[in-house]
Amino acid sequence: METIFMYIMPVLIITSVIYYVLIVPKIRNKAFVENSKIKNALIGKEKETRPKYLYDENRFQPISELIVNEEVLGITDCMKRKSGKQVAITMVVNFLKDFAESLIRKFMHRGLGVMGGYQFSRGDKGLFYLVISNKALHYLFFDEGKLIEHQRFSFHEIENFNQNSANMADQFLKGGAMKYPKISFKTTKEQFTFFYTESIECYPSGEPLETNAMYEVNHLFVTPFKNEINQI
């Protein structure tokens, strides 16, 4: 068995190296070319193309119909927004889950003679968006196509607006936040922090965007969001 493993291991290593050195760059380059092609085809046609997404009930109409008397300028996905209390609860729950998983793995290994464990889900169920209009910043939370939460922050009530990258503390408190840009600001009521993903993978219904639609949406909504957020 060890002899077979000695022969298989180098093959797997070489195959992996070939894949990441030769195949992955080709896949990325193809995606870049497709993105550029679609983007170039849209230049000058943004105004007439945006409505096919904003006012289609199977696309972003659930978002646009909430932004009353405002012009939607940009949209992007974001992480679920949690208050300080929710973050503290999440930390405790995750600690207990980690502890429970550890105990289960030890029991299965020692008591049953098998490796494994129960993997708890830490994902936040639902779809979360940041939307910027000509008058305000909006945070939207949908679940199975239904609006669960809508917070509106008019520009005149936003104070001490900051935009930077998530730090180690954010990573610890928000798991995975290190990948995302971070915005924070104050209102008369509370301090708010959001992490956004610079992409949109699904419509509010939960349906994933088609490949070409992802490229179009990136140009029509995500890039404008990033540009507009710099103006606050």
Side-chain angles (χ1 to χ4, degrees):
M1 190 69 174
E2 290 183 1
T3 304
I4 295 174
F5 182 77
M6 287 175 62
Y7 285 108
I8 292 176
M9 196 60 187
V11 173
L12 291 175
I13 293 172
I14 292 171
T15 303
S16 297
V17 170
I18 291 173
Y19 177 76
Y20 284 104
V21 172
L22 298 179
I23 307 301
V24 171
K26 287 184 179 180
I27 294 173
R28 288 176 178 168
N29 184 62
K30 183 179 179 181
F32 176 78
V33 170
E34 285 297 316
N35 188 15
S36 298
K37 216 188 289 185
I38 292 172
K39 179 181 175 181
N40 291 335
L42 280 176
I43 292 176
K45 300 177 181 176
E46 291 87 350
K47 192 172 181 179
E48 61 192 71
T49 308
R50 284 164 61 89
K52 84 172 186 178
Y53 287 100
L54 283 176
Y55 306 117
D56 185 330
E57 62 181 10
N58 295 316
R59 291 177 167 176
F60 295 128
Q61 185 174 309
I63 290 178
S64 63
E65 66 185 10
L66 294 168
I67 315 300
V68 182
N69 298 322
E70 298 176 35
E71 180 186 359
V72 174
L73 302 177
I75 308 172
T76 191
D77 281 353
C78 70
M79 293 181 69
K80 182 178 182 179
R81 194 257 168 181
K82 294 182 179 178
S83 66
K85 182 179 179 181
Q86 288 173 318
V87 168
I89 292 172
T90 298
M91 288 175 63
V92 173
V93 169
N94 282 345
F95 172 78
L96 292 175
K97 285 180 178 178
D98 287 336
F99 182 67
E101 285 176 10
S102 177
L103 289 178
I104 292 170
R105 281 194 295 269
K106 287 179 181 177
F107 170 76
M108 293 182 71
H109 179 54
R110 295 177 183 175
L112 304 178
V114 296
M115 296 298 290
Y118 180 77
Q119 182 62 48
F120 290 93
S121 173
R122 291 176 175 76
D124 290 316
K125 184 182 178 184
L127 296 163
F128 310 90
Y129 303 91
L130 285 178
V131 180
I132 192 165
S133 74
N134 58 328
K135 296 181 180 179
L137 178 68
H138 298 257
Y139 168 70
L140 302 172
F141 168 22
F142 291 88
D143 190 1
E144 297 180 356
K146 296 179 181 179
L147 179 69
I148 305 299
E149 184 178 357
H150 178 195
Q151 290 183 296
R152 181 183 183 277
F153 311 99
S154 62
F155 295 139
H156 73 267
E157 70 175 320
I158 291 177
E159 298 177 358
N160 301 327
F161 183 87
N162 286 299
Q163 182 173 199
N164 47 43
S165 298
N167 54 35
M168 288 302 293
D170 297 318
Q171 175 73 8
F172 177 69
L173 296 173
K174 294 282 292 186
M178 282 289 281
K179 296 184 289 184
Y180 306 131
K182 168 186 175 182
I183 58 173
S184 58
F185 55 88
K186 289 171 62 177
T187 67
T188 54
K189 297 179 181 179
E190 196 178 345
Q191 173 78 34
F192 292 90
T193 300
F194 295 100
F195 304 90
Y196 63 94
T197 65
E198 300 183 289
S199 65
I200 299 178
E201 295 184 0
C202 294
Y203 299 113
S205 63
E207 283 295 313
L209 274 69
E210 313 86 342
T211 302
N212 284 359
M214 287 184 70
Y215 295 138
E216 288 191 346
V217 165
N218 183 69
H219 178 67
L220 295 169
F221 299 101
V222 178
T223 297
F225 177 89
K226 292 189 288 185
N227 293 338
E228 293 295 331
I229 208 74
N230 289 325
Q231 307 303 316
I232 296 181

